[in-house]
Amino acid sequence: MSTQVPALLHGLVDDAAVFPPGSAALHDALAAHRQHRAAWYADLVGPLLIPASDVAAGELSGLVDPGEGLVVGVIGDTGIGNLPFALSFLAPDGVTARQVEVAVAKRGEDPLPGIAELLRLTDELPGVETVYAELPLTFGLMGALDALVAARADGAPIAAKFRTGGLAAELFPTPTELATVICACRDRGLPFKLTAGLHQAIRHLDPETGFTHHGYANVLAATLAAADGDGVRSVAELLTVVDPRPLVQRTTARLDGPRPLWVGFGSCSILEPLTDLIRLGLVNGGYDA
């Protein structure tokens, strides 16, 4: 009998193999994703993330058996308005888009017009369980979160997404900035996803880029603390921790329950975060007799 991934970690890591820095060819990413979905750690793995541009170009045609029930997430790299066109290519191949993720504004732009445009299209995205509005951590953020909450109250399947890294220093939020966002989502009951920079479990300095990256184990512990009612300062402190022991201690006590608020993050490697989770003792790798 295979070892089970704890409930707290279910669906934590979306398969972003085709995105940098992995940049796998789509046919290779599909083959690896099928292996992940059949492996003992399958419960850890979310959908395969595919750019809308690839979907609209028919790149999936011929690579998918309509009977296999492939579930993907579509990343709106062609913009908000082109999402319905891209998704129209999925049904003939028997593919379902569980989620759609798209940026609604650039840094410094008002995100509200983009949110309004995205909300107008939600009825044209059949079968999509959740639409993630990617919000820059700059101007108008709290108003944007309020707009998402209002839309959810009206039945829109929308949630938030934030970047925690990238090719420039300003794309890495400080611990206080990220803690503020986590607590703001907590206060609003708003689910959120994260993307970019979460390459390892523990906060660390990347020697190649010189940037300090957030650790996903830090984020998990911080989110649990926020869900328990901790304030921004306490949540930010957990995001700065480089000793895994207090993170593991807080997380281990909650392994059997669902993960609050934080939907998960995309990783171009599934095995790297899995390996870290095994090393931390949060997943018991291997098989039971």
Side-chain angles (χ1 to χ4, degrees):
M1 182 174 63
S2 64
T3 301
Q4 297 297 305
V5 172
L8 184 69
L9 304 177
H10 282 191
L12 178 65
V13 188
D14 285 352
D15 189 349
V18 303
F19 292 89
S23 302
L26 184 55
H27 67 276
D28 292 333
L30 278 166
H33 186 71
R34 293 183 182 107
Q35 292 179 343
H36 296 320
R37 298 303 309 167
W40 64 265
Y41 54 85
D43 285 340
L44 177 71
V45 185
L48 179 66
L49 303 181
I50 304 178
S53 56
D54 285 358
V55 176
E59 297 293 334
L60 283 174
S61 298
L63 298 179
V64 180
D65 179 351
E68 72 177 278
L70 179 66
V71 176
V72 302
V74 175
I75 307 300
D77 61 331
T78 56
I80 296 172
N82 292 318
L83 285 171
F85 175 72
L87 265 62
S88 70
F89 284 78
L90 295 178
D93 289 320
V95 180
T96 300
R98 175 186 299 170
Q99 62 205 47
V100 169
E101 307 172 24
V102 63
V104 297
K106 298 177 181 178
R107 288 179 63 83
E109 292 181 346
D110 184 355
L112 292 180
I115 290 174
E117 181 185 1
L118 185 57
L119 289 171
R120 287 193 293 269
L121 290 178
T122 54
D123 290 338
E124 301 178 45
L125 307 176
V128 174
E129 294 180 6
T130 310
V131 178
Y132 292 95
E134 184 179 317
L135 303 170
L137 300 182
T138 55
F139 172 78
L141 175 59
M142 295 303 165
L145 297 182
D146 289 338
L148 296 185
V149 171
R152 287 174 62 84
D154 290 336
I158 198 162
K161 177 182 175 182
F162 310 106
R163 289 197 166 268
T164 49
L167 299 178
E170 63 267 19
L171 298 178
F172 290 80
T174 67
T176 298
E177 289 171 337
L178 184 53
T180 299
V181 168
I182 291 172
C183 289
C185 288
R186 182 269 318 275
D187 293 343
R188 294 165 172 80
L190 180 65
F192 66 91
K193 278 197 69 181
L194 299 177
T195 187
L198 296 174
H199 298 158
Q200 297 181 23
I202 308 300
R203 182 175 176 83
H204 65 282
L205 176 67
D206 187 323
E208 293 186 7
T209 65
F211 299 139
T212 297
H213 288 244
H214 291 285
Y216 61 83
N218 295 79
V219 175
L220 181 57
T223 304
L224 292 173
D228 288 341
D230 286 17
V232 170
R233 179 176 294 181
S234 297
V235 173
E237 287 176 357
L238 286 168
L239 292 171
T240 67
V241 168
V242 294
D243 179 352
R245 288 174 294 183
L247 305 178
V248 171
Q249 182 178 11
R250 181 177 283 271
T251 303
T252 299
R254 303 283 288 275
L255 284 176
D256 294 333
R259 187 170 58 256
L261 293 174
W262 185 28
V263 178
F265 66 102
S267 172
C268 64
S269 169
I270 296 296
L271 297 182
E272 287 182 8
L274 174 64
T275 300
D276 270 359
L277 289 169
I278 292 172
R279 288 172 177 166
L280 291 173
L282 297 176
V283 170
N284 181 17
Y287 291 85
D288 297 331

